[in-house]
Amino acid sequence: MLEAIGKLPKFKGVIEKAKAFTIFIYAHHTTLALMRKATKKRDIVRPGMTRFATSFLTLQSLAEKK
């Protein structure tokens, strides 16, 4: 049986940190406004078809905005 990528030890920590960072950004309006200004009004989260896709897209989006 295949294991979800989010449960693999190699990726679990990175995904959890990305989730925490995303929650922080969206919970603080001033920080969110600064992020949107710096990224030309692009958001971090883009919905995906699966949890893996959502995690991957979130990590990819964070890496692009780094």
Side-chain angles (χ1 to χ4, degrees):
M1 178 182 257
L2 293 175
E3 194 172 352
I5 195 166
K7 293 184 180 182
L8 294 173
K10 185 174 184 178
F11 299 104
K12 189 174 183 175
V14 174
I15 291 171
E16 290 301 319
K17 287 178 185 178
K19 285 180 186 178
F21 178 76
T22 302
I23 290 168
F24 176 84
I25 292 288
Y26 283 99
H28 296 85
H29 299 285
T30 305
T31 308
L32 179 60
L34 288 170
M35 191 258 333
R36 286 186 173 154
K37 183 177 179 182
T39 62
K40 299 178 184 172
K41 298 184 180 181
R42 293 182 64 201
D43 285 320
I44 294 171
V45 178
R46 294 184 295 172
M49 295 296 288
T50 65
R51 279 184 272 158
F52 164 73
T54 301
S55 295
F56 175 79
L57 293 172
T58 299
L59 292 173
Q60 182 181 35
S61 180
L62 286 171
E64 289 172 357
K65 290 166 183 64
K66 185 179 177 185

